[in-house]
Amino acid sequence: MSSNLSIKKICEFCQKEFIAKTIKTRYCSHNCNRKHYKLVKKKGEIETIEKATKLNITSIEEVNKKDFLTVNETALILNMSKRTVYRLIQNKELNAYNFSERKTLIRRKDIDYYFELNMNSSNLNKEKIKQNITPENAYNINEIIEKYHISSSALYNILNRLNIEKKNYGKHVLVKKEDIDQIFIS
């Protein structure tokens, strides 16, 4: 069905005058239509990102003012998942009060205390353990591989899983003999 109309219109993208053959035509060419579509799409994405950014900034500012936080707010501040926060609560590493099934509150002081406790104790303990590891009372990784016939990747997996301290000594990595013997002999 062809049209006998010829209407003078202005292109919405390039602002040039053109002759349209239908009432609904908005652009002078397919090129202008495509470019305008991309421009509108890009502006929409930018607005969405700006809205999300504004929401996060205001919510973090609001959350920082509170003395008692929900699990969601705690997860937002700590940059953790909600599941991790619940796991910390379940393991009694983070104090929280459960008002109901859906309402758990955490004091900001408890969050600060959790970090102070973990930062101080873990740094001191790791340094003391590393100082106790010497070439006389430790195996290097190659000795462990040869003695217990284990691959290096399996050995490192075990060491990481059991949180056994390692110490770099020159080009060697040392692990306490008593820790290794305890794992492989038992």
Side-chain angles (χ1 to χ4, degrees), residues 124-133 165 167 176 179:
L124 293 175
N125 289 339
K126 285 183 181 180
E127 288 304 316
K128 286 180 183 177
I129 291 171
K130 283 188 179 182
Q131 286 175 354
N132 291 337
I133 299 175
E165 284 298 320
K167 179 180 179 181
K176 276 188 134 180
D179 293 339

mmCIF file with all atom_site columns, all heavy atoms in Angstrom, residues 124-133 165 167 176 179:
data_model
loop_
_atom_site.group_PDB
_atom_site.id
_atom_site.type_symbol
_atom_site.label_atom_id
_atom_site.label_alt_id
_atom_site.label_comp_id
_atom_site.label_asym_id
_atom_site.label_entity_id
_atom_site.label_seq_id
_atom_site.pdbx_PDB_ins_code
_atom_site.Cartn_x
_atom_site.Cartn_y
_atom_site.Cartn_z
_atom_site.occupancy
_atom_site.B_iso_or_equiv
_atom_site.pdbx_formal_charge
_atom_site.auth_seq_id
_atom_site.auth_comp_id
_atom_site.auth_asym_id
_atom_site.auth_atom_id
_atom_site.pdbx_PDB_model_num
ATOM 1   N N   . LEU A 1 124 ? 49.757 -10.675 65.214 1.00 0.00 ? 124 LEU A N   1
ATOM 2   C CA  . LEU A 1 124 ? 50.736 -11.062 66.223 1.00 0.00 ? 124 LEU A CA  1
ATOM 3   C C   . LEU A 1 124 ? 51.015 -12.555 66.174 1.00 0.00 ? 124 LEU A C   1
ATOM 4   O O   . LEU A 1 124 ? 52.172 -12.987 66.227 1.00 0.00 ? 124 LEU A O   1
ATOM 5   C CB  . LEU A 1 124 ? 50.231 -10.667 67.618 1.00 0.00 ? 124 LEU A CB  1
ATOM 6   C CG  . LEU A 1 124 ? 50.136 -9.173  67.901 1.00 0.00 ? 124 LEU A CG  1
ATOM 7   C CD1 . LEU A 1 124 ? 49.502 -8.928  69.264 1.00 0.00 ? 124 LEU A CD1 1
ATOM 8   C CD2 . LEU A 1 124 ? 51.512 -8.530  67.832 1.00 0.00 ? 124 LEU A CD2 1
ATOM 9   N N   . ASN A 1 125 ? 49.970 -13.356 66.088 1.00 0.00 ? 125 ASN A N   1
ATOM 10  C CA  . ASN A 1 125 ? 50.144 -14.808 66.081 1.00 0.00 ? 125 ASN A CA  1
ATOM 11  C C   . ASN A 1 125 ? 50.916 -15.272 64.847 1.00 0.00 ? 125 ASN A C   1
ATOM 12  O O   . ASN A 1 125 ? 51.787 -16.130 64.951 1.00 0.00 ? 125 ASN A O   1
ATOM 13  C CB  . ASN A 1 125 ? 48.785 -15.516 66.137 1.00 0.00 ? 125 ASN A CB  1
ATOM 14  C CG  . ASN A 1 125 ? 48.133 -15.358 67.499 1.00 0.00 ? 125 ASN A CG  1
ATOM 15  O OD1 . ASN A 1 125 ? 48.813 -15.075 68.473 1.00 0.00 ? 125 ASN A OD1 1
ATOM 16  N ND2 . ASN A 1 125 ? 46.833 -15.525 67.555 1.00 0.00 ? 125 ASN A ND2 1
ATOM 17  N N   . LYS A 1 126 ? 50.595 -14.744 63.687 1.00 0.00 ? 126 LYS A N   1
ATOM 18  C CA  . LYS A 1 126 ? 51.283 -15.167 62.464 1.00 0.00 ? 126 LYS A CA  1
ATOM 19  C C   . LYS A 1 126 ? 52.761 -14.807 62.518 1.00 0.00 ? 126 LYS A C   1
ATOM 20  O O   . LYS A 1 126 ? 53.605 -15.592 62.100 1.00 0.00 ? 126 LYS A O   1
ATOM 21  C CB  . LYS A 1 126 ? 50.622 -14.529 61.232 1.00 0.00 ? 126 LYS A CB  1
ATOM 22  C CG  . LYS A 1 126 ? 49.308 -15.167 60.864 1.00 0.00 ? 126 LYS A CG  1
ATOM 23  C CD  . LYS A 1 126 ? 48.733 -14.570 59.614 1.00 0.00 ? 126 LYS A CD  1
ATOM 24  C CE  . LYS A 1 126 ? 47.395 -15.213 59.274 1.00 0.00 ? 126 LYS A CE  1
ATOM 25  N NZ  . LYS A 1 126 ? 46.813 -14.646 58.073 1.00 0.00 ? 126 LYS A NZ  1
ATOM 26  N N   . GLU A 1 127 ? 53.065 -13.638 63.035 1.00 0.00 ? 127 GLU A N   1
ATOM 27  C CA  . GLU A 1 127 ? 54.467 -13.233 63.125 1.00 0.00 ? 127 GLU A CA  1
ATOM 28  C C   . GLU A 1 127 ? 55.235 -14.125 64.100 1.00 0.00 ? 127 GLU A C   1
ATOM 29  O O   . GLU A 1 127 ? 56.367 -14.518 63.830 1.00 0.00 ? 127 GLU A O   1
ATOM 30  C CB  . GLU A 1 127 ? 54.583 -11.761 63.532 1.00 0.00 ? 127 GLU A CB  1
ATOM 31  C CG  . GLU A 1 127 ? 54.174 -10.788 62.448 1.00 0.00 ? 127 GLU A CG  1
ATOM 32  C CD  . GLU A 1 127 ? 54.947 -10.983 61.156 1.00 0.00 ? 127 GLU A CD  1
ATOM 33  O OE1 . GLU A 1 127 ? 56.188 -11.159 61.197 1.00 0.00 ? 127 GLU A OE1 1
ATOM 34  O OE2 . GLU A 1 127 ? 54.315 -10.969 60.085 1.00 0.00 ? 127 GLU A OE2 1
ATOM 35  N N   . LYS A 1 128 ? 54.610 -14.468 65.231 1.00 0.00 ? 128 LYS A N   1
ATOM 36  C CA  . LYS A 1 128 ? 55.273 -15.345 66.199 1.00 0.00 ? 128 LYS A CA  1
ATOM 37  C C   . LYS A 1 128 ? 55.514 -16.723 65.608 1.00 0.00 ? 128 LYS A C   1
ATOM 38  O O   . LYS A 1 128 ? 56.577 -17.312 65.786 1.00 0.00 ? 128 LYS A O   1
ATOM 39  C CB  . LYS A 1 128 ? 54.429 -15.468 67.472 1.00 0.00 ? 128 LYS A CB  1
ATOM 40  C CG  . LYS A 1 128 ? 54.471 -14.238 68.344 1.00 0.00 ? 128 LYS A CG  1
ATOM 41  C CD  . LYS A 1 128 ? 53.632 -14.427 69.580 1.00 0.00 ? 128 LYS A CD  1
ATOM 42  C CE  . LYS A 1 128 ? 53.622 -13.165 70.427 1.00 0.00 ? 128 LYS A CE  1
ATOM 43  N NZ  . LYS A 1 128 ? 52.752 -13.297 71.595 1.00 0.00 ? 128 LYS A NZ  1
ATOM 44  N N   . ILE A 1 129 ? 54.530 -17.251 64.908 1.00 0.00 ? 129 ILE A N   1
ATOM 45  C CA  . ILE A 1 129 ? 54.671 -18.582 64.301 1.00 0.00 ? 129 ILE A CA  1
ATOM 46  C C   . ILE A 1 129 ? 55.763 -18.564 63.237 1.00 0.00 ? 129 ILE A C   1
ATOM 47  O O   . ILE A 1 129 ? 56.592 -19.468 63.174 1.00 0.00 ? 129 ILE A O   1
ATOM 48  C CB  . ILE A 1 129 ? 53.324 -19.046 63.699 1.00 0.00 ? 129 ILE A CB  1
ATOM 49  C CG1 . ILE A 1 129 ? 52.326 -19.324 64.822 1.00 0.00 ? 129 ILE A CG1 1
ATOM 50  C CG2 . ILE A 1 129 ? 53.506 -20.281 62.828 1.00 0.00 ? 129 ILE A CG2 1
ATOM 51  C CD1 . ILE A 1 129 ? 50.917 -19.569 64.346 1.00 0.00 ? 129 ILE A CD1 1
ATOM 52  N N   . LYS A 1 130 ? 55.779 -17.518 62.417 1.00 0.00 ? 130 LYS A N   1
ATOM 53  C CA  . LYS A 1 130 ? 56.803 -17.440 61.373 1.00 0.00 ? 130 LYS A CA  1
ATOM 54  C C   . LYS A 1 130 ? 58.201 -17.308 61.959 1.00 0.00 ? 130 LYS A C   1
ATOM 55  O O   . LYS A 1 130 ? 59.156 -17.810 61.396 1.00 0.00 ? 130 LYS A O   1
ATOM 56  C CB  . LYS A 1 130 ? 56.506 -16.275 60.420 1.00 0.00 ? 130 LYS A CB  1
ATOM 57  C CG  . LYS A 1 130 ? 55.391 -16.590 59.441 1.00 0.00 ? 130 LYS A CG  1
ATOM 58  C CD  . LYS A 1 130 ? 55.239 -15.526 58.402 1.00 0.00 ? 130 LYS A CD  1
ATOM 59  C CE  . LYS A 1 130 ? 54.144 -15.899 57.429 1.00 0.00 ? 130 LYS A CE  1
ATOM 60  N NZ  . LYS A 1 130 ? 53.994 -14.921 56.375 1.00 0.00 ? 130 LYS A NZ  1
ATOM 61  N N   . GLN A 1 131 ? 58.326 -16.642 63.102 1.00 0.00 ? 131 GLN A N   1
ATOM 62  C CA  . GLN A 1 131 ? 59.639 -16.527 63.734 1.00 0.00 ? 131 GLN A CA  1
ATOM 63  C C   . GLN A 1 131 ? 60.115 -17.872 64.268 1.00 0.00 ? 131 GLN A C   1
ATOM 64  O O   . GLN A 1 131 ? 61.304 -18.152 64.312 1.00 0.00 ? 131 GLN A O   1
ATOM 65  C CB  . GLN A 1 131 ? 59.589 -15.504 64.876 1.00 0.00 ? 131 GLN A CB  1
ATOM 66  C CG  . GLN A 1 131 ? 59.516 -14.076 64.393 1.00 0.00 ? 131 GLN A CG  1
ATOM 67  C CD  . GLN A 1 131 ? 59.348 -13.100 65.544 1.00 0.00 ? 131 GLN A CD  1
ATOM 68  O OE1 . GLN A 1 131 ? 59.171 -13.488 66.687 1.00 0.00 ? 131 GLN A OE1 1
ATOM 69  N NE2 . GLN A 1 131 ? 59.404 -11.819 65.231 1.00 0.00 ? 131 GLN A NE2 1
ATOM 70  N N   . ASN A 1 132 ? 59.176 -18.735 64.644 1.00 0.00 ? 132 ASN A N   1
ATOM 71  C CA  . ASN A 1 132 ? 59.525 -20.048 65.172 1.00 0.00 ? 132 ASN A CA  1
ATOM 72  C C   . ASN A 1 132 ? 59.920 -21.038 64.081 1.00 0.00 ? 132 ASN A C   1
ATOM 73  O O   . ASN A 1 132 ? 60.452 -22.092 64.380 1.00 0.00 ? 132 ASN A O   1
ATOM 74  C CB  . ASN A 1 132 ? 58.355 -20.628 65.984 1.00 0.00 ? 132 ASN A CB  1
ATOM 75  C CG  . ASN A 1 132 ? 58.136 -19.861 67.270 1.00 0.00 ? 132 ASN A CG  1
ATOM 76  O OD1 . ASN A 1 132 ? 59.049 -19.205 67.759 1.00 0.00 ? 132 ASN A OD1 1
ATOM 77  N ND2 . ASN A 1 132 ? 56.940 -19.935 67.802 1.00 0.00 ? 132 ASN A ND2 1
ATOM 78  N N   . ILE A 1 133 ? 59.625 -20.736 62.837 1.00 0.00 ? 133 ILE A N   1
ATOM 79  C CA  . ILE A 1 133 ? 59.971 -21.650 61.736 1.00 0.00 ? 133 ILE A CA  1
ATOM 80  C C   . ILE A 1 133 ? 61.410 -21.364 61.315 1.00 0.00 ? 133 ILE A C   1
ATOM 81  O O   . ILE A 1 133 ? 61.736 -20.284 60.836 1.00 0.00 ? 133 ILE A O   1
ATOM 82  C CB  . ILE A 1 133 ? 59.016 -21.472 60.544 1.00 0.00 ? 133 ILE A CB  1
ATOM 83  C CG1 . ILE A 1 133 ? 57.583 -21.782 60.959 1.00 0.00 ? 133 ILE A CG1 1
ATOM 84  C CG2 . ILE A 1 133 ? 59.439 -22.369 59.382 1.00 0.00 ? 133 ILE A CG2 1
ATOM 85  C CD1 . ILE A 1 133 ? 56.550 -21.516 59.879 1.00 0.00 ? 133 ILE A CD1 1
ATOM 86  N N   . GLU A 1 165 ? 50.981 -22.381 58.677 1.00 0.00 ? 165 GLU A N   1
ATOM 87  C CA  . GLU A 1 165 ? 51.861 -21.274 58.296 1.00 0.00 ? 165 GLU A CA  1
ATOM 88  C C   . GLU A 1 165 ? 53.064 -21.772 57.506 1.00 0.00 ? 165 GLU A C   1
ATOM 89  O O   . GLU A 1 165 ? 53.641 -22.820 57.806 1.00 0.00 ? 165 GLU A O   1
ATOM 90  C CB  . GLU A 1 165 ? 52.342 -20.525 59.533 1.00 0.00 ? 165 GLU A CB  1
ATOM 91  C CG  . GLU A 1 165 ? 51.298 -19.631 60.137 1.00 0.00 ? 165 GLU A CG  1
ATOM 92  C CD  . GLU A 1 165 ? 50.835 -18.531 59.205 1.00 0.00 ? 165 GLU A CD  1
ATOM 93  O OE1 . GLU A 1 165 ? 51.677 -17.951 58.484 1.00 0.00 ? 165 GLU A OE1 1
ATOM 94  O OE2 . GLU A 1 165 ? 49.640 -18.263 59.190 1.00 0.00 ? 165 GLU A OE2 1
ATOM 95  N N   . LYS A 1 167 ? 56.810 -20.240 55.624 1.00 0.00 ? 167 LYS A N   1
ATOM 96  C CA  . LYS A 1 167 ? 57.746 -19.125 55.712 1.00 0.00 ? 167 LYS A CA  1
ATOM 97  C C   . LYS A 1 167 ? 58.684 -19.205 54.517 1.00 0.00 ? 167 LYS A C   1
ATOM 98  O O   . LYS A 1 167 ? 59.239 -20.261 54.212 1.00 0.00 ? 167 LYS A O   1
ATOM 99  C CB  . LYS A 1 167 ? 58.560 -19.214 57.005 1.00 0.00 ? 167 LYS A CB  1
ATOM 100 C CG  . LYS A 1 167 ? 59.582 -18.101 57.152 1.00 0.00 ? 167 LYS A CG  1
ATOM 101 C CD  . LYS A 1 167 ? 60.351 -18.248 58.450 1.00 0.00 ? 167 LYS A CD  1
ATOM 102 C CE  . LYS A 1 167 ? 61.381 -17.150 58.595 1.00 0.00 ? 167 LYS A CE  1
ATOM 103 N NZ  . LYS A 1 167 ? 62.147 -17.302 59.831 1.00 0.00 ? 167 LYS A NZ  1
ATOM 104 N N   . LYS A 1 176 ? 56.739 -26.141 59.302 1.00 0.00 ? 176 LYS A N   1
ATOM 105 C CA  . LYS A 1 176 ? 57.196 -26.831 60.513 1.00 0.00 ? 176 LYS A CA  1
ATOM 106 C C   . LYS A 1 176 ? 57.053 -28.340 60.377 1.00 0.00 ? 176 LYS A C   1
ATOM 107 O O   . LYS A 1 176 ? 56.045 -28.843 59.901 1.00 0.00 ? 176 LYS A O   1
ATOM 108 C CB  . LYS A 1 176 ? 56.397 -26.365 61.725 1.00 0.00 ? 176 LYS A CB  1
ATOM 109 C CG  . LYS A 1 176 ? 56.907 -25.107 62.342 1.00 0.00 ? 176 LYS A CG  1
ATOM 110 C CD  . LYS A 1 176 ? 56.175 -24.843 63.628 1.00 0.00 ? 176 LYS A CD  1
ATOM 111 C CE  . LYS A 1 176 ? 57.195 -24.480 64.677 1.00 0.00 ? 176 LYS A CE  1
ATOM 112 N NZ  . LYS A 1 176 ? 56.580 -24.200 65.953 1.00 0.00 ? 176 LYS A NZ  1
ATOM 113 N N   . ASP A 1 179 ? 54.020 -29.975 62.229 1.00 0.00 ? 179 ASP A N   1
ATOM 114 C CA  . ASP A 1 179 ? 52.721 -29.816 61.549 1.00 0.00 ? 179 ASP A CA  1
ATOM 115 C C   . ASP A 1 179 ? 52.565 -30.841 60.433 1.00 0.00 ? 179 ASP A C   1
ATOM 116 O O   . ASP A 1 179 ? 51.521 -31.485 60.307 1.00 0.00 ? 179 ASP A O   1
ATOM 117 C CB  . ASP A 1 179 ? 52.587 -28.390 60.985 1.00 0.00 ? 179 ASP A CB  1
ATOM 118 C CG  . ASP A 1 179 ? 52.496 -27.335 62.062 1.00 0.00 ? 179 ASP A CG  1
ATOM 119 O OD1 . ASP A 1 179 ? 52.137 -27.685 63.207 1.00 0.00 ? 179 ASP A OD1 1
ATOM 120 O OD2 . ASP A 1 179 ? 52.774 -26.155 61.763 1.00 0.00 ? 179 ASP A OD2 1
#
